[in-house]
Amino acid sequence: MRCRIQPRIQPRTRLPLLTLAVAWPATRALMLWLLAHNHLPALGGGGVAREVYRLYAGWHDILSGGAYPQGDPLWQYPPGAGPLLLAPGLLPGLTYFQAFVVLTLAADAVVTAALAHAGTRPEGRSPTGAALWTAALPVLLCLPLVRYDVLVTAFAVIALLTFSRSKRACGAFAAMGAVVKVWPALTLIGTPRGRTTKEAWTAGVVTAAVLLGALAVLFRAPFDFLRQQGARGVQIESLGGTALAFARRAGWDGTVRYRYGAMEFTGPYVPEVAALSLALTVAALGALLLWRTRAHRWSPATPYDAALSAVLLFTVTSRVISPQYMVWLLGLAAVCLTSRHTTQRPVAVLLVAATAVSAVAYPVLYREVVDSTWTGCLLMLVRNGLLTAAAALSFVRLWRATTERPRIRQLRTEPGPHSCHLPHGRLSASKRETNINTYYSDSWEPCILTTRRSASSSSDTTTLPMWRTRSARRSRRAPPSER
């Protein structure tokens, strides 16, 4: 009997991988060219890259002295951001700016390779995720290269992609990202209830505690950022900022000032808008917790879909929606598209459209947004409208896919036109009984549904493809047909 060995990479995936190998260097070279010309007025007049060689480099000098920035209203990052900002100084022969861009490109390459590898796996995997990340990230022009959000996104992407193999590794990578920026902790929101959640969340808590403890020992004032974070206002690009921008066109006497590292509105009713944003964030958290209690069906893509939905809800309801936040959403959408079982394909389309509008708003027409002109207001209305629609659609599709009971087609028990009948017209004994085993739990893997005749011929077996759970503990046997 000949045994045919399947190739490690299927022929149908070789062409996408070759295309990816050509597209990634080409698109990143274009981003580097845009970065080299960021002094042009259409690319922000040098303001895009200024954050690295002025702000990040200044923080690097402070962190090198063994302390976090104290009393600095611009420092609003968790303690894990410190080692990340120190890392460029370890690369010899490069300026801080050059080393930072190199590290960002390296993280981008890691994300692309991880998505491509996930897309070549069997059982419902797709290379679309790597294609989305490769093609959509340059839509933000050179901005991703001069923000450390790509490095944070790498932690979240790796955490989700390692979930199917190691729950503890998933929790550890999510915790590493959360120590740098809080949002990667949301990648654990979609872990199936039970032992899986316990392993992943425990690993995350332990990893975060160890990292925070080590940073508290090595550096002074690691938690000073909490004082600055609580005093933030309403950024002009947020959902509340869009409402205030239209109010400004209608005669509201608020102004725009540079505060806490962003352009924010100041004036009457701004504290009320900020409080409303916080209330909406709490409501989003409540909706996610309600979903976890109601969900009873997990597909291989449910952890991915839940992570994207959670980050979308928290982003839309936040007081700040910076353009680099789109990097997070693109990374999570790319992870969703690595699975053919995802429900988030329409959401990914909306996110790409929102990314394109964000690139126009910043840096191309950012002055229009700051001045609250009609052009700037309409740009923010379209971008935030797309994000709001994406968040609502994402949560609705996640809810329906995991909480609604699937329609199960009943097996045919009546004799067909070509069935074997006894002379008196009744079914033969070989067709009288059918035993069906089905399994239910919280984690899914491919299997077969077996239907076996209970007559003398035990080899007459029908196998049907289906999904069953890996940790199946209960089986339900259909009663014999009394025909």
Side-chain angles (χ1 to χ4, degrees), residues 61 86 94 128 130 140 162 228 233 238 260 279 317 331 365-366 371 429 444 449-450 460:
D61 297 337
L86 285 172
L94 298 175
T128 312
L140 290 170
T162 56
Q228 314 302 332
S238 65
Y260 301 100
T317 59
L365 297 178
Y366 195 58
D371 294 337
W444 296 67
L449 174 66
T450 303
D460 193 357

Side-chain angles (χ1 to χ4, degrees), residues 9-10 12-13 16-17 112-130 161 334-335 337-340:
I9 298 179
Q10 299 295 330
R12 63 184 178 85
T13 62
L17 289 179
T112 307
L115 293 170
H117 177 70
T120 59
R121 296 181 191 172
E123 308 300 344
R125 295 293 182 169
S126 169
T128 312
L161 294 181
V335 173
L337 294 185
T338 60
S339 175
R340 298 183 188 275

Side-chain angles (χ1 to χ4, degrees), residues 35-40 43-61 85 88 94-101 104 142 145-148 362:
L35 181 60
H37 295 79
N38 82 101
H39 60 277
L40 298 176
L43 296 177
V48 176
R50 188 180 300 121
E51 187 163 328
V52 175
Y53 60 78
R54 285 191 181 178
L55 193 60
Y56 292 179
W59 287 338
H60 170 270
D61 297 337
L85 295 176
L94 298 175
T95 65
Y96 185 87
F97 181 83
Q98 294 170 342
F100 186 90
V101 174
T104 304
C142 61
L145 298 180
V146 288
R147 299 292 185 273
Y148 77 93
Y362 182 85

Side-chain angles (χ1 to χ4, degrees), residues 236-257:
I236 61 175
E237 298 168 80
S238 65
L239 203 62
T242 302
L244 291 175
F246 277 98
R248 193 180 181 189
R249 296 299 309 173
W252 176 63
D253 58 350
T255 58
V256 176
R257 293 175 55 191

